[in-house]
Amino acid sequence: MKISARDIDHLSVSASDPDATAAKLLQLGFNLTPEGVEPRCICFQPDRDDIPNYIEVLAGEDTRIALAVNVEELEGEERTHAWETEDGFEVDAGVVVGETGGPLPWFAVKHETPDAFMEPEWIVHPNGALGLMAIHAVAENPRETAKALKAAWGGTIEEIFDGCMMIKAGSVELLIWSSLAYQLEYKALEIMAPTELPIVVGAAIAIERSRPLQALLRANNVAFQLTEGDRVLVAPEQSGGLMIEFMPQT
């Protein structure tokens, strides 16, 4: 499947127990859309008004993570979601979802109502999260995986360093690592090498400041590691399957 990607607009996390995953994300200081409606979403203020920026949590047989790539035109399954804000206002979301592509799990998405994911009460987070900056993936051959995705999406690719390729079609980057490079970069977390490749493994999220986040995580008994630039690393078991890299902007 070939599309013209505008950006990676969200990350889709399927979990066998989505309520437990949502509870862990709440402990990390994220604000989620209300309970009782699938998906539960962590929404951020996007760079563009017509392309959302969020993470969704869905029910699935096991933990699987896929990228949603924003396009202007798409034929596919139409999905609707409705949440109620704290003041009783109902927010309706209409999304068209395309078929799953490869080599990395991804699907195209067209938003009929992108502003549904930008409600003011949902984009402000106790942990100071500002937005989804990058997605981390691991592949046996990062260069070939990046080339295949460029052929499917468009965009640009760049070798960051040996064992890490970047593909970018908008503001959110996709970093594709070799297993060894990923383990070395995030050695503070002592992450095991993934066995099924290629796979999406994590996300980089911009935050206002590092120290308030550290205090929040300690108060919630969430283990984390600090690394260069006051980045805060949280292992997958603390978030329901996603390695999260918090990157302070000040």
Side-chain angles (χ1 to χ4, degrees), residues 187-202:
K187 60 184 177 182
L189 293 176
E190 299 182 349
I191 293 174
M192 297 292 290
T195 55
E196 296 182 12
L197 301 177
I199 187 172
V200 179
V201 293

Side-chain angles (χ1 to χ4, degrees), residues 34-35 43 74 111 152 170 230 247:
E35 294 181 71
C43 303
L74 181 66
H111 285 275
D230 273 345
M247 304 186 70

Side-chain angles (χ1 to χ4, degrees), residues 21-214:
T21 298
K24 288 186 175 183
L25 293 168
L26 286 167
Q27 280 196 308
L28 298 184
F30 290 111
N31 185 17
L32 278 74
T33 51
E35 294 181 71
V37 178
E38 190 179 83
R40 298 289 300 278
C41 297
I42 302 172
C43 303
F44 305 110
Q45 178 64 50
D47 282 344
R48 294 174 56 176
D49 291 341
D50 60 340
I51 301 179
N53 184 279
Y54 64 100
I55 298 171
E56 68 176 4
V57 179
L58 302 161
E61 293 183 2
D62 52 14
T63 300
R64 294 189 180 275
I65 307 169
L67 306 174
V69 181
N70 188 287
V71 297
E72 287 193 69
E73 298 298 332
L74 181 66
E75 292 184 4
E77 178 189 354
E78 295 185 11
R79 299 179 185 175
T80 58
H81 315 294
W83 302 279
E84 190 173 291
T85 63
E86 289 183 355
D87 59 8
F89 177 69
E90 188 171 280
V91 177
D92 297 311
V95 184
V96 179
V97 177
E99 296 180 357
T100 301
L104 198 67
W106 68 273
F107 57 92
V109 62
K110 175 188 176 185
H111 285 275
E112 305 286 357
T113 53
D115 56 334
F117 298 89
M118 305 174 196
E119 283 295 310
E121 71 181 59
W122 297 340
I123 62 174
V124 177
H125 302 275
N127 61 13
L130 301 172
L132 188 60
M133 296 178 63
I135 308 299
H136 295 292
V138 176
E140 185 174 350
N141 189 323
R143 184 183 299 276
E144 292 304 314
T145 301
K147 286 181 178 179
L149 291 173
K150 176 176 168 52
W153 301 355
T156 60
I157 60 174
E158 178 184 347
E159 184 173 22
I160 304 301
F161 51 78
D162 187 30
C164 182
M165 298 291 295
M166 179 187 74
I167 179 167
K168 188 173 183 179
S171 62
V172 180
E173 301 172 348
L174 172 61
L175 298 175
I176 307 173
W177 303 81
S178 68
S179 292
L180 179 59
Y182 178 62
Q183 287 181 292
L184 289 173
E185 180 70 16
Y186 297 100
K187 60 184 177 182
L189 293 176
E190 299 182 349
I191 293 174
M192 297 292 290
T195 55
E196 296 182 12
L197 301 177
I199 187 172
V200 179
V201 293
I205 295 173
I207 57 169
E208 294 175 357
R209 293 179 297 149
S210 180
R211 288 188 179 181
L213 169 64
Q214 294 173 44

